[in-house]
Amino acid sequence: MAELTTIEAEARERAGKGAARAARRQGKVPAVIYGAKAAPTLIALDPKQVMRELHRGGWRSRLYGVKVGGETTRALIRDVQFHPVTDLPEHVDFQRLAAGEKMRVAITVLFHNEATSIGLKRGGMLNVVRHSVECYVDPDNAPEHFDADLADLDINDNVRWSNLKGNENARPVITDRDFVIATVAAPTKMPEVPTETAAAAAAAPAAAAAAPAKAAAKPAAKKK
């Protein structure tokens, strides 16, 4: 059974922008719980709780127990709206989960052993194609993240879906191929300058510097 992260909430009686503004004036973040063929539940959250969850990795796939009074609802955070200036959360959308219903979530990929990767030590660059993977999962077995081990990857090697750890209970939205998550790309080389051209370019400043010295060393012509 997946562990529930509990969030305490207060019930809101009225919907609309005016009611949402009133909740914000009281220092709360307005939110709604929808889905599972039930009427939306209007709630207000402590902003400290919201920020705590946003700062934790994997919150989009984390299973929450939203507690309103004595009732707890299993839900996912589906969207967070932020203030355009302060970047503080202004509204949170939760999706209510029905029993036995699969959920579609974006699960974060964590990359490990970059310091010991064969290809990266040789000067390769890690090119991340997907920072997260859209999957269908059972809410009770939803992983918070997938793990990608880079230690044995050489230049031009890939991390594919089948290489991820922790994906046993997840079905990716993409099913027609073993898609790429990341690759170790070859290092970018600067174009080499031909030897003769490089030598001439190096000699030019030296010749320019020597010219004034020669002029100064030449004796002045005698006046007749």
Side-chain angles (χ1 to χ4, degrees):
M1 193 78 170
E3 181 180 353
L4 284 176
T5 297
T6 301
I7 291 185
E8 299 281 348
E10 299 176 4
R12 289 191 297 133
E13 294 183 358
R14 295 185 300 114
K17 293 183 178 179
R21 284 194 293 266
R24 295 187 192 104
R25 285 196 296 268
Q26 297 171 4
K28 300 293 184 179
V29 179
V32 62
I33 307 173
Y34 65 86
K37 298 180 181 180
T41 302
L42 303 176
I43 58 175
L45 306 170
D46 183 339
K48 293 181 180 179
Q49 287 192 97
V50 178
M51 293 303 297
R52 181 193 67 197
E53 294 306 314
L54 295 181
H55 287 155
R56 293 173 63 191
W59 58 267
R60 290 185 182 277
S61 59
R62 187 173 300 121
L63 191 59
Y64 291 99
V66 184
K67 189 175 182 181
V68 185
E71 184 178 350
T72 299
T73 302
R74 296 199 316 167
L76 292 170
I77 295 179
R78 279 306 190 191
D79 187 40
V80 180
Q81 298 172 23
F82 297 92
H83 190 278
V85 177
T86 64
D87 283 334
L88 295 176
E90 284 203 315
H91 195 277
V92 180
D93 290 349
F94 290 90
Q95 181 184 356
R96 185 184 290 109
L97 298 177
E101 180 183 10
K102 293 279 186 180
M103 62 183 187
R104 177 171 174 167
V105 291
I107 300 178
T108 302
V109 178
L110 301 182
F111 297 92
H112 304 280
N113 299 319
E114 291 187 48
T116 58
S117 169
I118 298 171
L120 297 181
K121 289 172 70 175
R122 292 179 56 204
M125 301 292 291
L126 180 62
N127 179 26
V128 178
V129 179
R130 292 179 173 84
H131 291 276
S132 62
V133 181
E134 289 275 349
C135 296
Y136 295 104
V137 297
D138 184 332
D140 293 325
N141 295 292
E144 288 198 1
H145 58 81
F146 299 136
D147 296 298
D149 188 357
L150 305 175
D152 296 331
L153 265 64
D154 205 342
I155 291 174
N156 295 326
D157 285 346
N158 297 319
V159 177
R160 295 183 178 272
W161 163 255
S162 60
N163 303 130
L164 296 178
K165 296 179 181 178
N167 64 358
E168 298 82 7
N169 297 314
R171 178 168 62 87
V173 173
I174 300 173
T175 58
D176 61 343
R177 63 189 185 279
D178 190 13
F179 51 89
V180 173
I181 305 298
T183 184
V184 177
T188 303
K189 293 184 178 180
M190 295 296 291
E192 295 184 1
V193 180
T195 305
E196 293 181 1
T197 306
K214 289 182 179 180
K218 185 177 180 181
K222 293 182 179 180
K223 293 184 179 179
K224 291 184 178 180

